[in-house]
PDB file of all heavy atoms in Angstrom:
ATOM      1  N   LEU A 130       9.612  18.086   0.310  1.00  0.00           N
ATOM      2  CA  LEU A 130      10.035  18.059   1.708  1.00  0.00           C
ATOM      3  C   LEU A 130      11.552  18.175   1.836  1.00  0.00           C
ATOM      4  O   LEU A 130      12.060  18.888   2.717  1.00  0.00           O
ATOM      5  CB  LEU A 130       9.546  16.782   2.383  1.00  0.00           C
ATOM      6  CG  LEU A 130       8.028  16.665   2.571  1.00  0.00           C
ATOM      7  CD1 LEU A 130       7.659  15.275   3.081  1.00  0.00           C
ATOM      8  CD2 LEU A 130       7.519  17.736   3.526  1.00  0.00           C
ATOM      9  N   LYS A 131      12.283  17.483   0.982  1.00  0.00           N
ATOM     10  CA  LYS A 131      13.745  17.549   1.078  1.00  0.00           C
ATOM     11  C   LYS A 131      14.255  18.924   0.653  1.00  0.00           C
ATOM     12  O   LYS A 131      15.212  19.452   1.262  1.00  0.00           O
ATOM     13  CB  LYS A 131      14.375  16.439   0.232  1.00  0.00           C
ATOM     14  CG  LYS A 131      15.904  16.397   0.291  1.00  0.00           C
ATOM     15  CD  LYS A 131      16.465  16.407   1.700  1.00  0.00           C
ATOM     16  CE  LYS A 131      16.095  15.187   2.513  1.00  0.00           C
ATOM     17  NZ  LYS A 131      16.699  15.244   3.876  1.00  0.00           N
ATOM     18  N   THR A 132      13.654  19.540  -0.337  1.00  0.00           N
ATOM     19  CA  THR A 132      14.042  20.910  -0.717  1.00  0.00           C
ATOM     20  C   THR A 132      13.788  21.859   0.452  1.00  0.00           C
ATOM     21  O   THR A 132      14.595  22.751   0.737  1.00  0.00           O
ATOM     22  CB  THR A 132      13.247  21.364  -1.958  1.00  0.00           C
ATOM     23  OG1 THR A 132      13.413  20.410  -3.005  1.00  0.00           O
ATOM     24  CG2 THR A 132      13.724  22.724  -2.439  1.00  0.00           C
ATOM     25  N   MET A 133      12.681  21.657   1.132  1.00  0.00           N
ATOM     26  CA  MET A 133      12.362  22.443   2.318  1.00  0.00           C
ATOM     27  C   MET A 133      13.443  22.264   3.393  1.00  0.00           C
ATOM     28  O   MET A 133      13.865  23.238   4.027  1.00  0.00           O
ATOM     29  CB  MET A 133      10.996  21.999   2.846  1.00  0.00           C
ATOM     30  CG  MET A 133      10.421  22.816   3.966  1.00  0.00           C
ATOM     31  SD  MET A 133       8.707  22.293   4.304  1.00  0.00           S
ATOM     32  CE  MET A 133       8.986  20.660   4.998  1.00  0.00           C
ATOM     33  N   ASP A 134      13.906  21.035   3.580  1.00  0.00           N
ATOM     34  CA  ASP A 134      14.994  20.768   4.533  1.00  0.00           C
ATOM     35  C   ASP A 134      16.228  21.615   4.237  1.00  0.00           C
ATOM     36  O   ASP A 134      16.842  22.188   5.146  1.00  0.00           O
ATOM     37  CB  ASP A 134      15.420  19.291   4.457  1.00  0.00           C
ATOM     38  CG  ASP A 134      14.498  18.364   5.216  1.00  0.00           C
ATOM     39  OD1 ASP A 134      13.712  18.844   6.035  1.00  0.00           O
ATOM     40  OD2 ASP A 134      14.582  17.148   4.975  1.00  0.00           O
ATOM     41  N   LEU A 135      16.617  21.639   2.962  1.00  0.00           N
ATOM     42  CA  LEU A 135      17.851  22.321   2.576  1.00  0.00           C
ATOM     43  C   LEU A 135      17.817  23.800   2.939  1.00  0.00           C
ATOM     44  O   LEU A 135      18.784  24.338   3.489  1.00  0.00           O
ATOM     45  CB  LEU A 135      18.105  22.151   1.075  1.00  0.00           C
ATOM     46  CG  LEU A 135      18.299  20.722   0.556  1.00  0.00           C
ATOM     47  CD1 LEU A 135      18.581  20.745  -0.949  1.00  0.00           C
ATOM     48  CD2 LEU A 135      19.422  20.006   1.291  1.00  0.00           C
ATOM     49  N   PHE A 136      16.708  24.459   2.637  1.00  0.00           N
ATOM     50  CA  PHE A 136      16.617  25.895   2.914  1.00  0.00           C
ATOM     51  C   PHE A 136      16.416  26.167   4.410  1.00  0.00           C
ATOM     52  O   PHE A 136      16.892  27.184   4.923  1.00  0.00           O
ATOM     53  CB  PHE A 136      15.493  26.522   2.096  1.00  0.00           C
ATOM     54  CG  PHE A 136      15.854  26.719   0.658  1.00  0.00           C
ATOM     55  CD1 PHE A 136      15.491  25.777  -0.297  1.00  0.00           C
ATOM     56  CD2 PHE A 136      16.574  27.838   0.253  1.00  0.00           C
ATOM     57  CE1 PHE A 136      15.834  25.951  -1.633  1.00  0.00           C
ATOM     58  CE2 PHE A 136      16.920  28.028  -1.087  1.00  0.00           C
ATOM     59  CZ  PHE A 136      16.558  27.074  -2.020  1.00  0.00           C
ATOM     60  N   ALA A 137      15.752  25.255   5.116  1.00  0.00           N
ATOM     61  CA  ALA A 137      15.516  25.461   6.543  1.00  0.00           C
ATOM     62  C   ALA A 137      16.820  25.466   7.335  1.00  0.00           C
ATOM     63  O   ALA A 137      16.989  26.243   8.280  1.00  0.00           O
ATOM     64  CB  ALA A 137      14.586  24.375   7.075  1.00  0.00           C
ATOM     65  N   ARG A 138      17.741  24.609   6.941  1.00  0.00           N
ATOM     66  CA  ARG A 138      18.975  24.481   7.717  1.00  0.00           C
ATOM     67  C   ARG A 138      20.086  25.432   7.258  1.00  0.00           C
ATOM     68  O   ARG A 138      21.168  25.460   7.829  1.00  0.00           O
ATOM     69  CB  ARG A 138      19.470  23.040   7.665  1.00  0.00           C
ATOM     70  CG  ARG A 138      20.075  22.610   6.344  1.00  0.00           C
ATOM     71  CD  ARG A 138      20.337  21.129   6.323  1.00  0.00           C
ATOM     72  NE  ARG A 138      21.075  20.725   5.132  1.00  0.00           N
ATOM     73  CZ  ARG A 138      21.079  19.499   4.636  1.00  0.00           C
ATOM     74  NH1 ARG A 138      20.358  18.549   5.240  1.00  0.00           N
ATOM     75  NH2 ARG A 138      21.782  19.192   3.559  1.00  0.00           N
ATOM     76  N   ASP A 139      19.818  26.202   6.202  1.00  0.00           N
ATOM     77  CA  ASP A 139      20.814  27.140   5.677  1.00  0.00           C
ATOM     78  C   ASP A 139      20.287  28.562   5.793  1.00  0.00           C
ATOM     79  O   ASP A 139      19.445  28.981   5.015  1.00  0.00           O
ATOM     80  CB  ASP A 139      21.123  26.803   4.216  1.00  0.00           C
ATOM     81  CG  ASP A 139      21.982  27.871   3.549  1.00  0.00           C
ATOM     82  OD1 ASP A 139      22.749  28.552   4.268  1.00  0.00           O
ATOM     83  OD2 ASP A 139      21.862  28.042   2.326  1.00  0.00           O
ATOM     84  N   GLY A 140      20.778  29.302   6.741  1.00  0.00           N
ATOM     85  CA  GLY A 140      20.348  30.684   6.888  1.00  0.00           C
ATOM     86  C   GLY A 140      21.323  31.685   6.329  1.00  0.00           C
ATOM     87  O   GLY A 140      21.113  32.905   6.448  1.00  0.00           O
ATOM     88  N   GLU A 141      22.380  31.196   5.688  1.00  0.00           N
ATOM     89  CA  GLU A 141      23.468  32.080   5.258  1.00  0.00           C
ATOM     90  C   GLU A 141      23.376  32.505   3.796  1.00  0.00           C
ATOM     91  O   GLU A 141      23.728  33.620   3.442  1.00  0.00           O
ATOM     92  CB  GLU A 141      24.820  31.387   5.501  1.00  0.00           C
ATOM     93  CG  GLU A 141      25.118  31.085   6.961  1.00  0.00           C
ATOM     94  CD  GLU A 141      25.191  32.349   7.793  1.00  0.00           C
ATOM     95  OE1 GLU A 141      25.739  33.362   7.308  1.00  0.00           O
ATOM     96  OE2 GLU A 141      24.702  32.327   8.937  1.00  0.00           O
ATOM     97  N   SER A 142      22.925  31.617   2.921  1.00  0.00           N
ATOM     98  CA  SER A 142      23.050  31.879   1.488  1.00  0.00           C
ATOM     99  C   SER A 142      21.823  32.527   0.862  1.00  0.00           C
ATOM    100  O   SER A 142      21.871  32.926  -0.297  1.00  0.00           O
ATOM    101  CB  SER A 142      23.368  30.576   0.747  1.00  0.00           C
ATOM    102  OG  SER A 142      22.257  29.695   0.793  1.00  0.00           O
ATOM    103  N   TRP A 143      20.741  32.624   1.603  1.00  0.00           N
ATOM    104  CA  TRP A 143      19.512  33.152   1.009  1.00  0.00           C
ATOM    105  C   TRP A 143      18.806  34.087   1.977  1.00  0.00           C
ATOM    106  O   TRP A 143      19.011  34.039   3.190  1.00  0.00           O
ATOM    107  CB  TRP A 143      18.578  32.025   0.582  1.00  0.00           C
ATOM    108  CG  TRP A 143      17.978  31.213   1.699  1.00  0.00           C
ATOM    109  CD1 TRP A 143      18.569  30.195   2.394  1.00  0.00           C
ATOM    110  CD2 TRP A 143      16.665  31.364   2.273  1.00  0.00           C
ATOM    111  NE1 TRP A 143      17.724  29.690   3.355  1.00  0.00           N
ATOM    112  CE2 TRP A 143      16.545  30.391   3.305  1.00  0.00           C
ATOM    113  CE3 TRP A 143      15.586  32.203   2.009  1.00  0.00           C
ATOM    114  CZ2 TRP A 143      15.385  30.247   4.063  1.00  0.00           C
ATOM    115  CZ3 TRP A 143      14.432  32.073   2.773  1.00  0.00           C
ATOM    116  CH2 TRP A 143      14.335  31.108   3.783  1.00  0.00           C
ATOM    117  N   ALA A 144      17.937  34.915   1.398  1.00  0.00           N
ATOM    118  CA  ALA A 144      17.126  35.832   2.201  1.00  0.00           C
ATOM    119  C   ALA A 144      15.795  36.043   1.493  1.00  0.00           C
ATOM    120  O   ALA A 144      15.741  36.178   0.265  1.00  0.00           O
ATOM    121  CB  ALA A 144      17.842  37.164   2.396  1.00  0.00           C
ATOM    122  N   GLY A 145      14.725  36.079   2.273  1.00  0.00           N
ATOM    123  CA  GLY A 145      13.400  36.280   1.708  1.00  0.00           C
ATOM    124  C   GLY A 145      12.414  35.297   2.288  1.00  0.00           C
ATOM    125  O   GLY A 145      12.563  34.835   3.434  1.00  0.00           O
ATOM    126  N   THR A 146      11.408  34.924   1.493  1.00  0.00           N
ATOM    127  CA  THR A 146      10.336  34.032   1.942  1.00  0.00           C
ATOM    128  C   THR A 146      10.102  32.954   0.892  1.00  0.00           C
ATOM    129  O   THR A 146       9.979  33.259  -0.305  1.00  0.00           O
ATOM    130  CB  THR A 146       9.033  34.824   2.174  1.00  0.00           C
ATOM    131  OG1 THR A 146       9.251  35.798   3.200  1.00  0.00           O
ATOM    132  CG2 THR A 146       7.904  33.904   2.583  1.00  0.00           C
ATOM    133  N   ILE A 147      10.043  31.714   1.340  1.00  0.00           N
ATOM    134  CA  ILE A 147       9.791  30.577   0.449  1.00  0.00           C
ATOM    135  C   ILE A 147       8.518  29.879   0.919  1.00  0.00           C
ATOM    136  O   ILE A 147       8.378  29.554   2.099  1.00  0.00           O
ATOM    137  CB  ILE A 147      10.963  29.574   0.448  1.00  0.00           C
ATOM    138  CG1 ILE A 147      12.290  30.275   0.155  1.00  0.00           C
ATOM    139  CG2 ILE A 147      10.708  28.472  -0.570  1.00  0.00           C
ATOM    140  CD1 ILE A 147      13.503  29.389   0.377  1.00  0.00           C
TER     141      ILE A 147
END
Side-chain angles (χ1 to χ4, degrees):
L130 292 172
K131 181 50 64 179
T132 306
M133 187 172 69
D134 280 344
L135 298 182
F136 284 96
R138 73 189 187 202
D139 171 28
E141 297 298 321
S142 68
W143 68 280
T146 298
I147 307 170

